[in-house]
Amino acid sequence: PDLYGANNTRLFTYWPSDAYQATGCYNLLCSGFIQVNSEIAMGASISPVSAYRNSQYDISILIWKDPKEGHWWMQFGNGYVLGYWPSFLFSYLAESASMIEWGGEVVNSEPDGQHTSTQMGSGHFPEEGFGKSSYFRNIQVVDSSNNLKAPKELGTFTEQSNCYDVQTGSNGDWGHYFYYGGPGRNPNCS
């Protein structure tokens, strides 16, 4: 909301070149990400969006490294290559990634000394499952031969599971998946 002035769900990028120490930028607000597609704007609202106990909608994102130039490319859906992060932006990702993370993130400025009331995902805990909690599904990684593969050693991490939590699973329809999120401040999360 601080960046866009509204609470819409958005497709955005944020890239740090130093493992989140000091540098980084959203979308195209500074030089870095090179957009090559004029049909989908970085930072644009996504519609339709899933609703609690109602229709659920997915988007597909693919990120891969070009073995020749070393650029990291981003694709939306099946046919929209959006752009790339040039190889010179990165020191830690110059050759490959050693870890990949999917998930949610909120800023907790601890207003009035309490945990933020900002929701993650749908604002509902993972135990509630499909149609209620947010999810990532069909999680895959791109190997050095540019083939999609199931991730190895899939683990979970949450700083405060009473505020936001995560649960993983795997099945034939969804592959590796996880439900995640939560309401933020609540009687068990202060």
Side-chain angles (χ1 to χ4, degrees):
D2 288 347
L3 182 59
Y4 299 106
N7 290 322
N8 303 18
T9 299
R10 295 184 181 271
L11 173 67
F12 73 93
T13 63
Y14 180 83
W15 60 269
S17 62
D18 58 0
Y20 287 92
Q21 297 303 308
T23 66
C25 193
Y26 284 98
N27 304 322
L28 307 174
L29 294 178
C30 57
S31 60
F33 185 80
I34 308 295
Q35 186 157 348
V36 299
N37 184 306
S38 60
E39 295 179 63
I40 298 175
M42 296 310 299
S45 292
I46 297 173
S47 180
V49 294
S50 301
Y52 183 75
R53 289 189 172 167
N54 209 325
S55 299
Q56 302 294 294
Y57 299 94
D58 298 330
I59 63 169
S60 296
I61 301 288
L62 174 63
I63 297 176
W64 77 96
K65 186 172 186 274
D66 170 9
K68 292 179 182 167
E69 299 292 328
H71 305 319
W72 288 85
W73 287 85
M74 179 180 183
Q75 179 175 318
F76 176 86
N78 289 329
Y80 296 98
V81 174
L82 299 181
Y84 64 94
W85 293 271
S87 58
F88 67 80
L89 291 176
F90 303 102
S91 54
Y92 293 100
L93 294 171
E95 296 301 319
S96 64
S98 58
M99 179 177 64
I100 300 170
E101 295 180 337
W102 296 266
E105 184 175 24
V106 298
V107 174
N108 183 19
S109 58
E110 296 188 6
D112 303 320
Q114 295 182 314
H115 193 283
T116 181
S117 57
T118 302
Q119 298 178 348
M120 181 184 293
S122 66
H124 292 265
F125 285 109
E127 304 85 59
E128 295 190 44
F130 186 76
K132 299 171 187 170
S133 182
S134 296
Y135 60 87
F136 281 70
R137 67 183 181 99
N138 197 27
I139 297 169
Q140 296 178 304
V141 296
V142 179
D143 70 10
S144 59
S145 301
N146 266 347
N147 295 314
L148 287 169
K149 294 191 172 185
K152 296 178 182 175
E153 302 176 37
L154 191 61
T156 62
F157 169 78
T158 180
E159 289 181 354
Q160 292 183 277
S161 59
N162 289 335
C163 307
Y164 315 104
D165 208 359
V166 59
Q167 288 185 346
T168 63
S170 183
N171 66 36
D173 290 336
W174 277 27
H176 289 288
Y177 65 87
F178 66 89
Y179 287 103
Y180 75 102
R185 187 187 315 150
N186 67 73
N188 298 318
C189 167
S190 54

